[in-house]
Amino acid sequence: MKNLYTQLEQDNVPKTLTLLIQSIVGACTEIATPINHGALSDVLGSLPDHNVQGEVQKKLDVIANNILIESLKKNKQVRAVASEEVEDIILCNSFGKYLICFDPLDGSSNTDVNGSLGTIFSITSASPAQTEVSEEDFFSTGRSIIAAGYVLYGPSLMLALSTGSGTHIYTLDPSNNNFMLTHPNLNIPEDTNEFSFNLSNQFKWPENVQKYIVDLQLGTDGIRKKNFNMRWLGAMVGDMHRILCKGGIFGYPEEKNFKYGKLRLLYEANPIAFLVEQANGLASNGTTSILDTVPSSIHQRIPVFIGSKNEVLLIEKYALGK
Ligand code: AHG
Ligand code: MN
Ligand code: MN
């Protein structure tokens, strides 16, 4: 079985990018230690502060954020980073080639119940060395991503990664800390009968999305003529991992009081959309591809419908009233 670095070499990934991926996954294996200790150390629960999103910050949100920033600052190729937990971009090395966006801990409401958690990241190229970096440098569409991935802190520690040559999943071998290629060249089935939406919000969604969901719920009695199953983990990484492995559709639509939904474009929707498109799935905001969205702020939100191709295309049809 190949390890991560053999695969990156085979995909002709430049050395500097490989070293950057190493900095990120190295930080993630470090983050796994406090997650693993859980209630045995003082890492569970919330902090009195809220983050830039106005959301409660878990202790582990801050621990994961600090570990990633410290690791990335040590890498000379990192120009600047944007994190869910920090209001402004963080400048790192003026000669660095890369910009990194990350959600240090995804699904952090799961910390206290030993549920699925993840870290999500994307990498783009920075402007030429020594020119001043500003937030605007992060405002290219997801099409300019050169690598993206997530680490899933589940029963196994897994890394899903794409450098633009398909999406591969690696499993950490705890005996030697090597990520081994266990699921090469993912291919999300075009059709599915599984959906991941938080149905408690159903009546706050736009009418076309409500109609789509009712048609799924009607199963063989409705126009879909097949029964559907539902899964919701409260961590996008966990739900998307299942969808990358066996198909499905994940949705977080806009709501009456959440005009752009809940998920963040730069460090949640875009990296996951990149992984999914590299695995032959689709990612839409309901009408157009997530990866074609031009960002205008680092923490902006976007409605998402991601996963099996035919299901995402169908959602877009419902949006057109067809
Ligand atoms: P985060 O923990 O980084 O704030 O992200 C949580 C996100 C996403 O991972 C998950 O799918 C969704 O929020 C869960 O939202 P609900 O509160 O609707 O379950
Ligand atoms: Mn998240
Ligand atoms: Mn988070």
Side-chain angles (χ1 to χ4, degrees), residues 7 10 19 95 111 133 188 199 212 216 249 251 256 284 305:
Q7 181 64 39
Q10 207 171 298
L19 289 172
F95 291 95
T111 51
V133 177
I188 301 175
L199 286 190
Y212 167 79
L216 296 187
I249 177 149
K256 275 184 198 131
S284 170
F305 303 94

Side-chain angles (χ1 to χ4, degrees), residues 51 53 55-56 58 61 84-85 103-110 117-118 120 198 200-201 232-239 250-252 255 262-264 267-268:
N51 70 4
Q53 326 285 337
E55 292 164 349
V56 172
K58 295 286 185 174
D61 281 322
E84 179 191 2
E85 302 302 334
D103 174 353
L105 199 64
D106 177 62
S108 55
S109 71
N110 284 346
L117 296 165
I120 315 174
N198 184 347
S200 68
N201 300 319
W232 186 255
L233 294 180
M236 187 195 204
V237 166
D239 284 313
F250 176 93
Y252 216 109
E255 292 169 21
K262 180 180 183 188
L263 299 177
R264 282 54 63 108
Y267 41 80
E268 291 179 318

Side-chain angles (χ1 to χ4, degrees), residues 93-104:
N93 191 304
S94 49
F95 291 95
K97 274 192 196 164
Y98 299 111
L99 303 176
I100 296 96
C101 297
F102 59 83
D103 174 353

